[in-house]
Protein backbone atom coordinates (compact mmCIF):
# COMPACT_ATOMS: atom_id res chain seq x y z
CA UNK A 1 0.00 0.00 0.00
CA UNK A 2 1.37 3.37 -1.06
CA UNK A 3 1.62 6.15 1.54
CA UNK A 4 -0.90 8.77 0.46
CA UNK A 5 0.62 11.99 -0.84
CA UNK A 6 -0.96 15.31 -1.68
CA UNK A 7 -0.02 15.93 -5.32
CA UNK A 8 -0.51 18.99 -7.50
CA UNK A 9 -0.66 17.84 -11.13
CA UNK A 10 -0.62 20.21 -14.12
CA UNK A 11 -2.06 19.13 -17.47
CA UNK A 12 -3.96 16.24 -15.90
CA UNK A 13 -6.76 16.47 -18.47
CA UNK A 14 -4.52 15.76 -21.48
CA UNK A 15 -3.67 12.46 -23.13
CA UNK A 16 -1.00 11.42 -20.64
CA UNK A 17 -2.51 13.08 -17.58
CA UNK A 18 -5.96 11.52 -17.93
CA UNK A 19 -4.26 8.13 -17.49
CA UNK A 20 -1.56 9.06 -14.98
CA UNK A 21 -3.85 11.02 -12.63
CA UNK A 22 -6.27 8.05 -12.22
CA UNK A 23 -3.27 5.76 -11.65
CA UNK A 24 -2.13 8.02 -8.79
CA UNK A 25 -5.64 8.54 -7.38
CA UNK A 26 -6.30 4.78 -7.43
CA UNK A 27 -3.22 4.33 -5.25
CA UNK A 28 -4.55 6.64 -2.58
CA UNK A 29 -2.91 9.92 -3.54
CA UNK A 30 -4.95 13.14 -3.29
CA UNK A 31 -4.59 14.88 -6.64
CA UNK A 32 -5.39 18.50 -7.51
CA UNK A 33 -5.40 19.02 -11.28
CA UNK A 34 -4.41 22.38 -12.79
CA UNK A 35 -5.55 22.59 -16.40
CA UNK A 36 -7.74 24.65 -18.71
CA UNK A 37 -10.23 21.77 -18.63
CA UNK A 38 -11.26 19.77 -15.55
CA UNK A 39 -10.72 16.02 -15.31
CA UNK A 40 -13.75 14.15 -14.02
CA UNK A 41 -12.36 11.39 -11.84
CA UNK A 42 -13.39 10.34 -8.31
CA UNK A 43 -11.30 12.01 -5.63
CA UNK A 44 -9.58 14.39 -8.04
CA UNK A 45 -10.23 18.11 -7.62
CA UNK A 46 -9.64 20.69 -10.32
CA UNK A 47 -8.57 24.30 -10.64
CA UNK A 48 -8.88 25.98 -14.01
CA UNK A 49 -5.45 27.60 -14.22
CA UNK A 50 -3.23 29.05 -16.92
CA UNK A 51 0.31 27.92 -16.12
CA UNK A 52 1.76 30.69 -18.27
CA UNK A 53 0.48 33.20 -15.67
CA UNK A 54 2.81 33.07 -12.63
CA UNK A 55 0.23 34.76 -10.38
CA UNK A 56 -2.34 32.09 -11.17
CA UNK A 57 0.17 29.31 -10.56
CA UNK A 58 1.20 30.79 -7.20
CA UNK A 59 -2.40 31.35 -6.14
CA UNK A 60 -3.49 27.89 -7.33
CA UNK A 61 -0.93 26.18 -5.09
CA UNK A 62 -2.54 27.93 -2.11
CA UNK A 63 -6.24 27.71 -3.06
CA UNK A 64 -8.88 25.49 -1.47
CA UNK A 65 -10.45 23.13 -4.00
CA UNK A 66 -13.53 21.84 -2.16
CA UNK A 67 -15.72 22.04 0.94
CA UNK A 68 -13.95 19.12 2.59
CA UNK A 69 -10.79 21.20 2.81
CA UNK A 70 -12.44 24.39 4.13
CA UNK A 71 -14.41 22.40 6.69
CA UNK A 72 -11.13 21.41 8.36
CA UNK A 73 -10.38 25.06 9.08
CA UNK A 74 -6.65 24.47 8.96
CA UNK A 75 -5.80 26.48 5.86
CA UNK A 76 -4.52 25.05 2.60
CA UNK A 77 -2.38 21.97 3.15
CA UNK A 78 1.09 21.89 1.62
CA UNK A 79 1.76 19.67 -1.37
CA UNK A 80 4.11 16.69 -1.03
CA UNK A 81 4.81 16.66 -4.76
CA UNK A 82 4.18 18.62 -7.93
CA UNK A 83 3.89 16.78 -11.25
CA UNK A 84 4.07 19.14 -14.20
CA UNK A 85 2.67 17.84 -17.52
CA UNK A 86 0.85 20.89 -18.94
CA UNK A 87 2.39 21.99 -22.24
CA UNK A 88 1.68 22.91 -25.83
CA UNK A 89 2.54 20.18 -28.32
CA UNK A 90 4.01 20.78 -31.80
CA UNK A 91 2.03 21.38 -35.00
CA UNK A 92 -1.08 22.93 -33.41
CA UNK A 93 0.47 26.24 -32.31
CA UNK A 94 3.11 28.61 -33.71
CA UNK A 95 6.64 27.69 -32.69
CA UNK A 96 7.13 30.76 -30.48
CA UNK A 97 3.91 30.07 -28.56
CA UNK A 98 5.08 26.50 -27.92
CA UNK A 99 8.43 27.80 -26.71
CA UNK A 100 6.91 30.54 -24.50
CA UNK A 101 4.22 28.45 -22.81
CA UNK A 102 6.45 25.44 -22.27
CA UNK A 103 9.48 27.30 -20.93
CA UNK A 104 7.73 29.99 -18.90
CA UNK A 105 5.02 27.60 -17.74
CA UNK A 106 7.67 25.24 -16.43
CA UNK A 107 9.60 28.09 -14.84
CA UNK A 108 6.42 29.31 -13.10
CA UNK A 109 5.52 25.87 -11.80
CA UNK A 110 9.02 25.00 -10.55
CA UNK A 111 9.70 28.44 -9.04
CA UNK A 112 6.39 28.42 -7.16
CA UNK A 113 6.84 24.86 -5.94
CA UNK A 114 10.37 25.57 -4.72
CA UNK A 115 9.37 28.81 -2.98
CA UNK A 116 6.55 27.00 -1.22
CA UNK A 117 8.94 24.28 -0.10
CA UNK A 118 7.53 21.36 -2.10
CA UNK A 119 10.15 18.63 -1.68
CA UNK A 120 9.49 16.67 -4.92
CA UNK A 121 8.91 18.02 -8.42
CA UNK A 122 8.50 15.83 -11.50
CA UNK A 123 8.38 17.43 -14.94
CA UNK A 124 7.49 16.06 -18.36
CA UNK A 125 10.46 16.31 -20.66
CA UNK A 126 10.46 14.43 -23.93
CA UNK A 127 12.08 11.93 -26.28
CA UNK A 128 12.27 14.89 -28.69
CA UNK A 129 15.22 16.33 -26.76
CA UNK A 130 17.39 13.74 -28.58
CA UNK A 131 16.72 15.72 -31.75
CA UNK A 132 15.53 13.07 -34.21
CA UNK A 133 11.76 13.16 -33.64
CA UNK A 134 10.96 16.65 -34.92
CA UNK A 135 14.08 17.22 -37.02
CA UNK A 136 13.53 18.91 -40.36
CA UNK A 137 14.26 15.95 -42.60
CA UNK A 138 15.54 12.47 -41.83
CA UNK A 139 18.54 12.50 -39.53
CA UNK A 140 20.44 9.87 -37.58
CA UNK A 141 20.73 9.76 -33.80
CA UNK A 142 24.30 10.35 -32.60
CA UNK A 143 24.36 6.81 -31.22
CA UNK A 144 22.03 4.04 -30.03
CA UNK A 145 20.49 3.13 -27.67
CA UNK A 146 19.33 6.63 -26.68
CA UNK A 147 20.48 7.15 -23.11
CA UNK A 148 20.13 9.93 -20.58
CA UNK A 149 23.73 11.15 -20.71
CA UNK A 150 23.76 11.54 -24.50
CA UNK A 151 24.32 15.02 -25.92
CA UNK A 152 20.90 16.55 -26.68
CA UNK A 153 20.71 19.01 -29.54
CA UNK A 154 17.25 19.36 -31.13
CA UNK A 155 16.53 21.86 -33.91
CA UNK A 156 12.79 22.37 -33.25
CA UNK A 157 11.08 24.74 -30.78
CA UNK A 158 9.26 22.04 -28.85
CA UNK A 159 12.38 19.91 -28.31
CA UNK A 160 14.34 23.05 -27.46
CA UNK A 161 11.72 24.08 -24.87
CA UNK A 162 12.14 20.70 -23.19
CA UNK A 163 15.95 21.02 -23.14
CA UNK A 164 15.58 24.42 -21.47
CA UNK A 165 13.08 23.02 -18.98
CA UNK A 166 15.63 20.43 -17.91
CA UNK A 167 18.14 23.26 -17.36
CA UNK A 168 15.56 25.24 -15.37
CA UNK A 169 14.87 22.17 -13.26
CA UNK A 170 18.55 21.58 -12.65
CA UNK A 171 19.16 25.20 -11.61
CA UNK A 172 16.26 25.23 -9.15
CA UNK A 173 17.37 21.89 -7.73
CA UNK A 174 20.83 23.35 -7.00
CA UNK A 175 19.47 26.36 -5.17
CA UNK A 176 16.66 24.62 -3.28
CA UNK A 177 17.64 21.06 -2.54
CA UNK A 178 14.17 19.85 -3.59
CA UNK A 179 14.31 16.66 -5.65
CA UNK A 180 13.49 17.47 -9.27
CA UNK A 181 13.17 14.61 -11.76
CA UNK A 182 12.66 15.17 -15.50
CA UNK A 183 10.98 12.35 -17.42
CA UNK A 184 11.96 12.14 -21.08
CA UNK A 185 8.64 10.64 -22.03
CA UNK A 186 8.40 8.47 -25.13
CA UNK A 187 5.37 8.34 -27.42
CA UNK A 188 2.40 7.87 -25.06
CA UNK A 189 -0.02 5.07 -25.97
CA UNK A 190 -3.47 4.88 -24.40
CA UNK A 191 -5.14 1.47 -23.93
CA UNK A 192 -7.54 1.89 -26.86
CA UNK A 193 -4.79 2.86 -29.30
CA UNK A 194 -3.07 -0.54 -29.55
CA UNK A 195 -5.65 -1.98 -31.94
CA UNK A 196 -5.47 0.96 -34.35
CA UNK A 197 -1.94 2.36 -34.26
CA UNK A 198 0.24 -0.72 -33.93
CA UNK A 199 -1.12 -2.62 -36.98
CA UNK A 200 -0.64 0.55 -39.04
CA UNK A 201 2.96 0.85 -37.84
CA UNK A 202 3.62 -2.84 -38.53
CA UNK A 203 2.59 -2.15 -42.15
CA UNK A 204 4.90 0.85 -42.41
CA UNK A 205 7.74 0.63 -39.85
CA UNK A 206 9.57 3.64 -41.33
CA UNK A 207 6.85 5.80 -39.68
CA UNK A 208 8.29 5.02 -36.26
CA UNK A 209 11.94 5.70 -37.02
CA UNK A 210 11.63 9.28 -35.69
CA UNK A 211 10.64 7.84 -32.30
CA UNK A 212 13.47 5.31 -32.39
CA UNK A 213 10.57 2.81 -32.15
CA UNK A 214 9.82 3.77 -28.55
CA UNK A 215 6.45 3.85 -26.85
CA UNK A 216 5.27 4.25 -23.28
CA UNK A 217 2.00 2.73 -22.19
CA UNK A 218 0.04 5.50 -20.42
CA UNK A 219 -0.55 3.22 -17.41
CA UNK A 220 3.12 2.27 -17.22
CA UNK A 221 3.84 6.00 -17.28
CA UNK A 222 1.56 6.23 -14.23
CA UNK A 223 3.75 3.65 -12.51
CA UNK A 224 6.89 5.64 -13.37
CA UNK A 225 5.43 8.86 -11.93
CA UNK A 226 4.32 7.02 -8.80
CA UNK A 227 7.83 5.55 -8.40
CA UNK A 228 9.28 9.07 -8.76
CA UNK A 229 6.89 10.36 -6.09
CA UNK A 230 8.11 7.60 -3.74
CA UNK A 231 11.84 7.76 -4.50
CA UNK A 232 13.46 10.53 -2.46
CA UNK A 233 16.93 12.00 -2.26
CA UNK A 234 18.15 11.78 -5.86
CA UNK A 235 18.54 15.55 -6.40
CA UNK A 236 18.25 16.41 -10.09
CA UNK A 237 17.70 13.45 -12.38
CA UNK A 238 16.72 12.78 -15.97
CA UNK A 239 14.95 9.51 -16.77
CA UNK A 240 13.91 8.11 -20.14
CA UNK A 241 10.31 6.93 -19.77
CA UNK A 242 9.74 4.11 -22.24
CA UNK A 243 8.69 0.47 -22.30
CA UNK A 244 11.15 -2.43 -22.27
CA UNK A 245 10.99 -3.36 -25.93
CA UNK A 246 10.55 -1.56 -29.23
CA UNK A 247 6.99 -0.78 -30.29
CA UNK A 248 7.29 -2.73 -33.53
CA UNK A 249 7.33 -6.39 -34.61
CA UNK A 250 10.93 -6.29 -35.84
CA UNK A 251 13.91 -7.46 -33.77
CA UNK A 252 16.43 -4.92 -32.48
CA UNK A 253 19.34 -6.17 -34.66
CA UNK A 254 17.06 -6.02 -37.72
CA UNK A 255 15.92 -2.46 -36.85
CA UNK A 256 19.53 -1.37 -36.54
CA UNK A 257 20.42 -2.97 -39.87
CA UNK A 258 17.44 -1.65 -41.85
CA UNK A 259 16.83 1.80 -40.35
CA UNK A 260 20.05 2.93 -38.66
CA UNK A 261 22.99 1.65 -40.75
CA UNK A 262 26.18 3.43 -39.74
CA UNK A 263 24.84 4.68 -36.39
CA UNK A 264 27.27 3.70 -33.59
CA UNK A 265 25.81 1.16 -31.17
CA UNK A 266 27.29 1.79 -27.72
CA UNK A 267 26.46 -1.48 -26.01
CA UNK A 268 25.19 -4.97 -26.64
CA UNK A 269 21.38 -5.04 -26.91
CA UNK A 270 18.94 -7.88 -26.33
CA UNK A 271 16.85 -9.41 -29.13
CA UNK A 272 13.98 -6.93 -28.64
CA UNK A 273 15.59 -4.48 -26.22
CA UNK A 274 14.37 -0.93 -26.72
CA UNK A 275 16.55 1.43 -28.75
CA UNK A 276 15.10 4.05 -26.41
CA UNK A 277 16.82 2.77 -23.31
CA UNK A 278 14.75 2.46 -20.14
CA UNK A 279 17.57 0.83 -18.19
CA UNK A 280 17.83 3.74 -15.74
CA UNK A 281 14.18 3.64 -14.61
CA UNK A 282 14.46 -0.11 -14.12
CA UNK A 283 17.75 0.10 -12.20
CA UNK A 284 17.17 3.28 -10.17
CA UNK A 285 13.39 3.42 -9.69
CA UNK A 286 12.55 -0.30 -9.87
CA UNK A 287 10.20 0.09 -12.85
CA UNK A 288 8.55 -3.17 -13.88
CA UNK A 289 6.69 -3.00 -17.18
CA UNK A 290 3.09 -4.22 -16.99
CA UNK A 291 1.83 -3.33 -20.46
CA UNK A 292 3.94 -4.86 -23.21
CA UNK A 293 2.17 -4.17 -26.55
CA UNK A 294 2.14 -7.93 -27.22
CA UNK A 295 -0.67 -8.26 -24.63
CA UNK A 296 -2.95 -6.10 -26.76
CA UNK A 297 -2.24 -6.88 -30.40
CA UNK A 298 -0.72 -9.63 -32.53
CA UNK A 299 2.75 -9.12 -33.89
N1 LIG B 1 1.93 12.48 -25.77
C1 LIG B 1 3.18 12.12 -25.97
O1 LIG B 1 3.45 11.17 -26.73
C2 LIG B 1 4.31 12.82 -25.25
C3 LIG B 1 5.62 12.42 -25.50
C4 LIG B 1 6.67 13.06 -24.84
C5 LIG B 1 6.41 14.05 -23.92
N2 LIG B 1 5.11 14.44 -23.69
C6 LIG B 1 4.88 15.50 -22.72
O2 LIG B 1 3.98 15.00 -21.73
C7 LIG B 1 3.13 16.05 -21.29
C8 LIG B 1 1.68 15.65 -21.51
O3 LIG B 1 1.48 15.41 -22.89
P1 LIG B 1 0.03 15.08 -23.45
O4 LIG B 1 0.21 14.17 -24.61
O5 LIG B 1 -0.86 14.66 -22.35
O6 LIG B 1 -0.40 16.50 -24.02
P2 LIG B 1 -1.88 17.05 -24.21
O7 LIG B 1 -1.79 18.17 -25.19
O8 LIG B 1 -2.83 15.95 -24.50
O9 LIG B 1 -2.23 17.62 -22.77
C9 LIG B 1 -1.64 18.78 -22.28
C10 LIG B 1 -2.60 19.39 -21.26
O10 LIG B 1 -2.01 20.63 -20.85
C11 LIG B 1 -3.05 21.60 -20.79
N3 LIG B 1 -2.45 22.92 -21.00
C12 LIG B 1 -1.84 23.41 -22.09
N4 LIG B 1 -1.45 24.66 -21.89
C13 LIG B 1 -1.84 24.99 -20.64
C14 LIG B 1 -1.74 26.16 -19.87
N5 LIG B 1 -1.16 27.29 -20.36
N6 LIG B 1 -2.23 26.16 -18.62
C15 LIG B 1 -2.84 25.05 -18.13
N7 LIG B 1 -2.98 23.90 -18.81
C16 LIG B 1 -2.49 23.90 -20.06
C17 LIG B 1 -4.02 21.23 -21.90
O11 LIG B 1 -5.32 21.76 -21.63
C18 LIG B 1 -3.98 19.71 -21.86
O12 LIG B 1 -5.00 19.16 -21.04
C19 LIG B 1 3.54 17.29 -22.06
O13 LIG B 1 4.46 18.04 -21.27
C20 LIG B 1 4.23 16.75 -23.28
O14 LIG B 1 5.17 17.66 -23.79
C21 LIG B 1 4.06 13.85 -24.33
Amino acid sequence: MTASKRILFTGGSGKAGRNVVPYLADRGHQVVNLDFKPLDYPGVTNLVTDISDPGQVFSAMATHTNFEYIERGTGVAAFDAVVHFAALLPFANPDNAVFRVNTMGTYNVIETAVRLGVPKIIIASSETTYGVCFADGRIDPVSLPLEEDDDINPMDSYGLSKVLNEKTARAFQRRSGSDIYALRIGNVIEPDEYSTLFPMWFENPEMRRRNAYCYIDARDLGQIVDLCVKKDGLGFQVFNAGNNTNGINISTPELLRRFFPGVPVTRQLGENEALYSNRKIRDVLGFKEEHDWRKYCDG
Side-chain angles (χ1 to χ4, degrees), residues 102-111 114 121 123 160-176 180 236:
N102 292 359
T103 56
M104 284 312 300
T106 299
Y107 183 93
N108 295 337
V109 170
I110 296 178
E111 180 183 37
V114 161
I121 302 163
I123 65 167
L160 176 63
S161 76
K162 296 294 186 179
V163 172
L164 255 76
N165 291 345
E166 291 185 6
K167 291 285 185 196
T168 302
R170 190 175 180 185
F172 273 105
Q173 195 284 325
R174 283 190 79 192
R175 77 170 82 162
S176 68
I180 310 187
F236 172 72

Side-chain angles (χ1 to χ4, degrees), residues 138 200-211 213 248 250 255 258-259:
R138 189 183 195 272
M200 180 175 72
W201 294 337
F202 296 166
E203 287 290 311
N204 186 1
E206 174 72 26
M207 285 175 74
R208 301 300 285 165
R209 184 186 185 277
R210 283 178 178 272
N211 304 83
Y213 299 91
I248 197 82
I250 300 171
L255 283 177
R258 279 174 61 184
F259 299 104

